Amino acid sequence: MEQAAADAGQDRPAAPPDDATQPPDHASQPPQEQVFTLLAGKWTAQAVSALARLGIADLLADGPRTPEELAAATGTHAQSLHRVLRAAALVHVFTERPDGTFALTPQAETLRTGVPGSMRAFAALIGDDATWRPYGDILETIRTGEPAFDRVHGATVYEYFARHPETGAVFDEAMTALSEESAGAYLGSYDFGRFARVADIGGGRGQMLAEILRLNPGARGLLLERPDVVEQAQPLLRKHGVADRVEVVAGDFFTEVPPGADAYVLKTVLHNWNDADALRILRNVRAAVGDDRDARLLVLEDVIQPLNAWDVGKLIDIDMLVNVGGRGRTREDWERLFTAAGFTLRLPEGAAAWSVLEGIPA
């Protein structure tokens, strides 16, 4: 009787477990499957990036839709779009429903345009030909130490963005969104309120500076950026209600940093550059500080954690290596760089990986 029931059951698909929608626990997989899952990240990254570029999350904001409806709205091939959506749903970016429609998930919500914490621009940038194709040449970068981006595109990142302003705009939007997301952590870990004039050096559209001034209404600011970037700063500064307190300066931090500030902020700037270039920037800040012993250099960046400690900065460091020729730095690296530039590093022992590194004029 039991064998007959078992034989009959072979004709029916097994019922999925209660947690069938959850990916397998990575640590419990055999080593080969763990490596396969890691390498498959290429597929999911491009799937999510493509869906972000198509604006699928925005189209689902009012409710679930079929792949056919989404394809008609985006001018794409319905079956192909369905397959990419299905793959993204595997990692919880969108969800496929029994009625054949797809809907938003909390992860997919972050791909909507203009929502707090939006990752749409960053997702689009990750899959863009400009930043994706250099990874095919990573082996040569490992051999030579030279960024693949320059070889592949025949230009540095910033030269490329100047020639392709549409890609440069996506980059600036992505960096602004990430800055908005990370600003709270920095503002919560350091007292910016003691400075009357804050200079944001290489501050993009001014997101971090706007947050500092918004929380400190008595302070004024200065934003130094490339000419093609600072012209986009005013709308953001007005949005935060601080435009009347910010002097916007188009310039080059490799040439000169304006003097007269009490604090010079470099937020995720120096990891874009090798040590020689980072030192040039810091020495220009030191020249701007001059004899003001109370002025401070504030570097907002990752401090690469030792040995096998988890630190997403170790992954970002690979992107710096491949695309811009920059690098992440350990505490010892930062100490050497600050000292060479004429600053003493102040950073509490055991500080978080992403920290405010305070430089005191030496």
Side-chain angles (χ1 to χ4, degrees), residues 61-76:
D62 293 329
R65 300 175 73 172
T66 66
E68 290 74 20
E69 292 171 329
L70 294 169
T74 57
T76 55

Side-chain angles (χ1 to χ4, degrees), residues 130-276:
T131 59
W132 182 268
R133 193 149 57 93
Y135 277 89
D137 202 35
I138 190 173
L139 190 57
E140 189 64 16
T141 286
I142 296 172
R143 288 184 176 128
T144 66
E146 299 298 326
F149 190 102
D150 300 24
R151 288 192 302 274
V152 170
H153 295 296
T156 67
V157 166
Y158 300 108
E159 291 168 344
Y160 183 95
F161 288 161
R163 297 172 190 172
H164 300 83
E166 68 287 350
T167 304
V170 173
F171 172 81
D172 290 334
E173 184 180 350
M175 295 305 102
T176 297
L178 292 178
S179 181
E180 182 177 6
E181 187 67 15
S182 63
Y186 289 121
L187 291 167
S189 64
Y190 189 88
D191 178 18
F192 291 86
R194 58 195 177 102
F195 303 114
R197 191 164 190 252
V198 178
D200 195 353
I201 307 303
R205 300 178 185 177
Q207 179 66 45
M208 187 67 198
L209 181 60
E211 293 286 352
I212 292 172
L213 297 184
R214 185 178 60 82
L215 294 177
N216 300 283
R220 301 189 65 83
L222 179 146
L223 175 65
L224 175 72
E225 251 296 358
R226 307 189 315 270
D228 59 310
V229 177
V230 292
E231 63 185 24
Q232 305 171 47
Q234 288 298 339
L236 185 146
L237 297 173
R238 285 194 296 268
K239 170 186 170 184
H240 288 279
V242 299
D244 61 333
R245 291 191 281 140
V246 178
E247 177 186 359
V248 178
V249 178
D252 181 358
F253 48 43
F254 284 119
T255 302
E256 184 181 19
V257 171
D262 303 307
Y264 288 86
V265 175
L266 289 162
K267 181 182 181 296
T268 55
V269 168
L270 297 179
H271 71 174
N272 291 317
W273 306 98
N274 59 36
D275 282 349

Side-chain angles (χ1 to χ4, degrees), residues 1 16 32 47 92 148 151 183 233 243 273 277 279 289 293 315 357 359:
M1 179 77 69
Q32 293 87 348
H92 303 303
R151 288 192 302 274
W273 306 98
D277 287 334
L279 185 56
V289 167
R293 311 297 297 177
L315 300 177
L357 292 83

Side-chain angles (χ1 to χ4, degrees), residues 276-338:
D277 287 334
L279 185 56
R280 287 172 60 198
I281 297 169
L282 289 180
R283 282 177 172 163
N284 282 339
V285 173
R286 184 65 184 87
V289 167
D291 296 329
D292 186 355
R293 311 297 297 177
D294 295 324
R296 292 292 182 265
L297 162 69
L298 304 175
V299 173
L300 283 54
E301 287 221 21
D302 185 44
V303 180
I304 296 292
Q305 299 299 289
L307 300 177
N308 300 307
W310 169 256
D311 180 0
V312 71
K314 296 175 182 178
L315 300 177
I316 296 173
D317 184 42
I318 300 303
D319 203 49
M320 300 299 102
L321 174 69
V322 170
N323 278 317
V324 297
R327 57 171 299 191
R329 294 176 173 89
T330 64
R331 184 190 185 99
E332 291 74 23
D333 293 330
W334 285 119
E335 287 177 341
R336 283 193 293 269
L337 200 57
F338 273 47

Side-chain angles (χ1 to χ4, degrees), residues 20 35 38 54 104 148 170 235 250 265 352:
V35 173
L38 291 173
L54 288 170
L104 293 174
V170 173
V265 175

